[in-house]
């Protein structure tokens, strides 16, 4: 009689009942919170073969991967994975979550764009003061900018960039597209110097790589037209903070940032008080759209793993 094979162990950040798991797998929940407390780190650390990292940049504890002798696959719940690479054990496959954050991040990119153009931060401050009066500049009432009739440049026209474009479809804008390599309707990154002076809004959604670190530098910003808006929903290191701060403080450019460098942004950092800057604390993927899409990514990957099929979204074989 053939020997029964022991179930394979996986760690996931959300509770999954036995009926949710493919045959042959057992799961332990690791949330990354309170790992010093009893049960904070499951006892099965010597057995885990697939590790789904918690969706956190502070409580994901990458050092645990070095203590997993049977680890074969690491699955992130982020599209970016540069933060995992320094900790990935040799020979372990890394998969990212391409597509998971398309809806949430695209919505925030559009929210930041509209909020900055239409002066929403100013109106929120006025509401805090019970102040109905319109803003004035040089004795003239301030007229906020519309998104309509503007040119929007999407820098990083991948999965999220495409989702942003779909949401811009009804806003009567012209769209310019840039990706690492050119394709039909999409410019190569080498064309960006010629495109920047044409754009009223520049939305940055590139991954953080050696090639994109510091992409938005003094020269990049200098080529943007006066009064243009920079929206960063990528990674903070893509933008040279000092250069952007100087341009916004002068009043020449505006910025709406979901990510910063450094991050978290220290309470005493001057960027907080720089005029023409709107900041959200890296919440691009944090919406009600996250959980159902995350579970779908996890369940599909677990099914593939259990069946010995090709894994989805492999970024490090």
């Amino acid at each position: 009689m053939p020997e029964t094979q022991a179930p394979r162990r996986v760690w996931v950040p959300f509770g999954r009942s036995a009926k949710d798991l493919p045959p042959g797998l057992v799961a332990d929940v690791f949330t990354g919170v309170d790992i010093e407390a009893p049960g904070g780190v499951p006892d099965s650390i010597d057995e885990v073969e697939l590790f789904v990292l918690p969706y956190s940049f502070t409580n994901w504890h990458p050092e645990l991967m070095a203590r997993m002798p049977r680890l074969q696959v690491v699955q992130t719940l982020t599209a970016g994975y540069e933060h995992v690479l320094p900790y990935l054990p040799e020979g372990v496959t890394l998969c990212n979550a391409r597509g998971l954050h398309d809806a949430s991040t695209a919505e925030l990119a559009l929210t930041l764009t509209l909020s900055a153009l239409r002066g929403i931060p100013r109106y929120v401050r006025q509401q805090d003061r019970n102040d109905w009066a319109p803003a004035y500049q040089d004795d003239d009432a301030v007229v906020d900018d519309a998104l309509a009739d503007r040119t929007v440049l999407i820098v990083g026209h991948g999965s999220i960039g495409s989702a942003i474009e779909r949401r811009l479809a009804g806003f009567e804008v012209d769209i310019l597209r840039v990706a690492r390599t050119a394709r039909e309707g999409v410019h190569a990154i080498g064309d960006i110097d010629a495109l920047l002076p044409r754009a009223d809004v520049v939305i940055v959604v590139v991954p953080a790589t050696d090639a994109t670190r510091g992409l938005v530098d003094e020269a990049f910003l200098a080529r943007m037209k006066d009064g243009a808006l920079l929206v960063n929903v990528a990674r903070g290191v893509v933008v040279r903070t000092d250069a952007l701060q100087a341009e916004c403080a002068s009043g020449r450019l505006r910025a709406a940032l979901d990510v910063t460098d450094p991050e978290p942004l220290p309470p005493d950092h001057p960027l907080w008080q720089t005029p023409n800057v709107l900041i959200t604390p890296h919440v691009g993927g944090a919406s009600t759209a996250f959980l159902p899409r995350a579970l779908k990514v996890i369940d599909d990957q677990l099914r593939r793993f259990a069946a010995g099929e090709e894994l989805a979204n492999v970024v490090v074989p």
Side-chain angles (χ1 to χ4, degrees):
M1 186 172 182
E3 183 178 350
T4 302
Q5 185 175 0
R8 305 174 74 184
R9 182 78 56 174
V10 300
W11 278 13
V12 294
F14 313 113
R16 312 302 287 139
S17 65
K19 67 180 178 60
D20 296 320
L21 295 172
L25 296 185
V26 292
D28 290 320
V29 175
F30 175 71
T31 65
V33 178
D34 295 330
I35 66 169
E36 302 300 330
V41 176
D43 294 335
S44 59
I45 194 167
D46 291 338
E47 305 169 24
V48 60
E49 298 182 37
L50 185 151
F51 182 20
V52 182
L53 299 176
Y55 181 56
S56 171
F57 288 92
T58 56
N59 291 320
W60 61 290
H61 298 289
E63 72 280 0
L64 292 179
M65 289 188 281
R67 295 169 49 192
M68 299 175 175
R70 299 180 63 178
L71 185 64
Q72 298 179 27
V73 179
V74 172
Q75 171 70 57
T76 74
L77 293 179
T78 56
Y81 53 90
E82 72 283 351
H83 57 297
V84 182
L85 291 176
Y87 303 95
L88 188 71
E90 184 177 356
V92 172
T93 297
L94 177 64
C95 304
N96 76 340
R98 176 181 171 86
L100 169 57
H101 300 290
D102 289 4
S104 295
T105 305
E107 284 185 0
L108 184 63
L110 196 57
T111 299
L112 289 171
T113 300
L114 289 167
S115 296
L117 292 177
R118 295 304 300 264
I120 299 303
R122 184 176 72 250
Y123 295 123
V124 169
R125 295 183 182 107
Q126 286 185 202
Q127 181 177 348
D128 289 341
R129 302 192 302 267
N130 305 331
D131 183 2
W132 179 266
Y136 282 87
Q137 184 174 6
D138 298 329
D139 296 326
D140 293 322
V142 173
V143 178
D144 294 313
D145 289 330
L147 180 55
D149 306 326
R150 303 295 177 176
T151 296
V152 179
L153 171 60
I154 300 174
V155 183
H157 199 269
S159 182
I160 296 176
S162 298
I164 292 171
E165 179 172 354
R166 291 194 298 272
R167 284 156 178 80
L168 286 168
F171 282 89
E172 303 175 43
V173 297
D174 293 324
I175 296 179
L176 303 171
R177 309 164 190 86
V178 166
R180 183 172 56 181
T181 55
R183 55 185 186 272
E184 186 176 356
V186 181
H187 295 268
I189 190 67
D191 298 334
I192 198 164
D193 283 354
L195 299 173
L196 285 169
R198 298 167 54 187
D200 302 288
V201 179
V202 178
I203 301 177
V204 181
V205 65
V206 294
T209 66
D210 289 341
T212 62
R213 185 179 297 270
L215 170 69
V216 182
D217 58 9
E218 291 85 350
F220 183 111
L221 296 168
R223 295 197 67 81
M224 291 175 62
K225 65 165 60 176
D226 290 353
L229 170 68
L230 179 81
V231 179
N232 187 9
V233 289
R235 289 290 188 266
V237 295
V238 172
V239 176
R240 298 292 188 195
T241 301
D242 291 347
L244 179 62
Q245 183 184 344
E247 291 280 15
C248 292
S250 73
R252 199 184 75 81
L253 296 180
R254 294 174 284 181
L257 312 172
D258 185 49
V259 289
T260 60
D261 182 28
E263 189 175 306
L265 194 63
D268 59 349
H269 197 285
L271 191 64
W272 285 113
Q273 304 302 325
T274 301
N276 306 304
V277 176
L278 170 61
I279 299 172
T280 56
H282 202 154
V283 293
S287 79
T288 54
F290 169 76
L291 184 57
R293 287 162 174 77
L295 293 177
K296 184 176 180 180
V297 167
I298 292 170
D299 290 348
D300 177 65
Q301 200 72 297
L302 293 183
R303 180 193 61 76
R304 291 169 180 266
F305 181 71
E309 298 178 0
E310 181 179 356
L311 298 175
N313 299 324
V314 173
V315 291
V316 178

